[in-house]
């Protein structure tokens, strides 16, 4: 197993910062994280947790609007959202940006870089966030030593595949109204998994971002949200959403 000092050296070389740089904190312990039941250590035995913590030896603060990584950059690390939220994006040949995903606390980022050693997407913070850094080479070593860690990696990749397949179904087969409803229900379910309210939350995505993610225009998103409010399904105030009729949304 790599020592904490060796892993720290890997992190410094790969993210290009010293351990004392303002953007990096040395406190990233899975055992004390409220999101561990959803994140990388899910399913690991308590005896194996210190081995993972030796790999995840730092957390990076990412300010709202700042990129964690960009499409085309070299892939060296996986990431886990400790707090906050990020969007993943890709740029089309004509320069248009397409939002491909929303990542919340407890979810992994960077798996898109494994296949080609470069990132296919960019990841941008929707709010001030804390991100755990997981050097990929050190993680592969851990997977060889701890079978449950390899199982967890397989599940993470499978979960991402399923989420992307679900998003393709949303874009390919649902009406604009159904897409917005499905998005609100998805955020509601994911908040509930984290112990937050399923009925009241702030949408960190702007209306424009929602439109990009759902394949509809900003005007259509705003019109549908207003329609939902008039029908008593939700209440909105800026980015604040309150779901008043959960079953009504599901029935759309």
């Amino acid at each position: 197993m790599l020592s904490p000092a060796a892993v720290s050296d890997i992190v410094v070389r790969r993210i290009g910062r010293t351990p004392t740089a303002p953007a990096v904190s040395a406190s990233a312990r899975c055992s004390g994280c409220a999101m561990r039941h959803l994140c990388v250590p899910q399913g690991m035995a308590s005896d194996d947790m210190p081995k993972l913590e030796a790999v995840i030896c730092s957390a990076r603060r990412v300010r709202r609007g700042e990129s964690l990584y960009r499409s085309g950059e070299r892939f060296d690390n996986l990431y886990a959202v400790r707090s906050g939220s990020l969007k993943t994006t890709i740029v089309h040949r004509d320069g248009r940006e397409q939002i491909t995903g929303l990542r919340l606390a407890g979810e992994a980022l960077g798996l898109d870089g494994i296949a080609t050693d470069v990132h296919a997407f960019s990841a941008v913070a929707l709010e001030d966030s804390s991100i755990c850094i997981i050097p990929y080479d050190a993680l592969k070593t851990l997977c060889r030593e701890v079978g449950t860690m390899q199982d967890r990696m397989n599940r993470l990749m499978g979960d991402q595949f399923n989420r992307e397949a679900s998003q393709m179904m949303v874009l390919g087969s649902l009406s604009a109204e159904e897409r917005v409803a499905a998005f609100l229900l998805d955020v509601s379910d994911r908040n509930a998994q984290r112990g937050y309210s399923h009925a009241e939350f702030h949408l960190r995505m702007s209306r424009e971002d929602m439109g990009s993610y759902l394949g509809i225009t900003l005007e259509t998103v705003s019109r549908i949200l207003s329609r939902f409010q008039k029908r008593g399904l939700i209440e909105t105030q800026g980015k604040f959403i309150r779901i008043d009729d959960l079953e009504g949304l599901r029935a759309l």
Side-chain angles (χ1 to χ4, degrees):
M1 181 181 70
L2 294 176
S3 68
V7 174
S8 179
D9 181 64
I10 291 173
V11 172
V12 169
R13 284 187 280 107
R14 290 185 175 179
I15 66 175
R17 294 182 175 88
T18 66
T20 57
V24 176
S25 167
S27 56
R29 297 297 177 187
C30 298
S31 55
C33 180
M35 295 295 115
R36 63 184 180 276
H37 66 293
L38 296 170
C39 200
V40 176
Q42 183 188 86
M44 288 190 71
S46 58
D47 291 345
D48 292 326
M49 193 72 72
K51 298 177 183 179
L52 178 60
E53 290 180 336
V55 172
I56 309 176
C57 63
S58 62
R60 174 182 171 186
R61 294 184 296 277
V62 185
R63 301 297 183 186
R64 178 184 176 186
E66 181 185 353
S67 295
L68 176 63
Y69 56 82
R70 295 181 180 276
S71 173
E73 288 183 349
R74 175 182 167 182
F75 165 74
D76 288 309
N77 306 301
L78 292 178
Y79 305 92
V81 185
R82 191 173 182 87
S83 65
S85 58
L86 295 90
K87 62 181 178 180
T88 54
T89 68
I90 192 169
V91 177
H92 295 284
R93 291 181 179 178
D94 60 6
R96 290 182 297 112
E97 181 186 78
Q98 173 74 45
I99 295 177
T100 60
L102 171 65
R103 297 290 181 265
L104 305 180
E107 296 181 347
L109 282 158
L111 292 165
D112 59 285
I114 292 177
T116 61
D117 293 326
V118 296
H119 286 288
F121 304 118
S122 300
V124 180
L126 291 168
E127 58 187 310
D128 291 352
S129 304
S130 177
I131 310 296
C132 294
I133 303 167
I134 312 169
Y136 186 57
D137 284 347
L139 182 61
K140 287 192 295 184
T141 298
L142 181 61
C143 286
R144 288 192 292 268
E145 294 180 355
V146 181
T148 53
M149 189 70 254
Q150 184 62 65
D151 291 341
R152 182 58 181 147
M153 282 298 300
N154 293 339
R155 287 180 180 274
L156 285 173
M157 288 186 281
D159 287 345
Q160 180 159 314
F161 174 83
N162 290 340
R163 184 169 292 279
E164 290 173 354
S166 295
Q167 181 64 9
M168 289 178 62
M169 184 193 73
V170 167
L171 296 179
S173 63
L174 300 185
S175 68
E177 191 172 271
E178 290 170 332
R179 295 180 196 184
V180 175
F183 175 74
L184 295 177
L185 290 170
D186 178 59
V187 174
S188 172
D189 289 343
R190 290 160 78 183
N191 278 344
Q193 291 173 356
R194 286 154 180 78
Y196 306 142
S197 172
H198 73 279
E200 296 185 355
F201 46 84
H202 282 85
L203 282 175
R204 299 305 179 183
M205 278 188 175
S206 66
R207 301 289 193 265
E208 185 175 9
D209 283 348
M210 285 177 58
S212 174
Y213 183 52
L214 298 174
I216 54 182
T217 65
L218 163 65
E219 293 76 15
T220 300
V221 171
S222 298
R223 186 165 56 248
I224 290 172
L225 290 175
S226 296
R227 191 182 308 157
F228 285 176
Q229 181 158 308
K230 289 178 182 178
R231 291 161 61 178
L233 298 175
I234 64 172
E235 290 187 30
T236 67
Q237 186 174 1
K239 291 188 176 182
F240 175 78
I241 298 287
R242 185 171 76 193
I243 298 178
D244 292 328
D245 186 356
L246 190 63
E247 294 307 315
L249 272 183
R250 289 173 175 163
L252 291 174

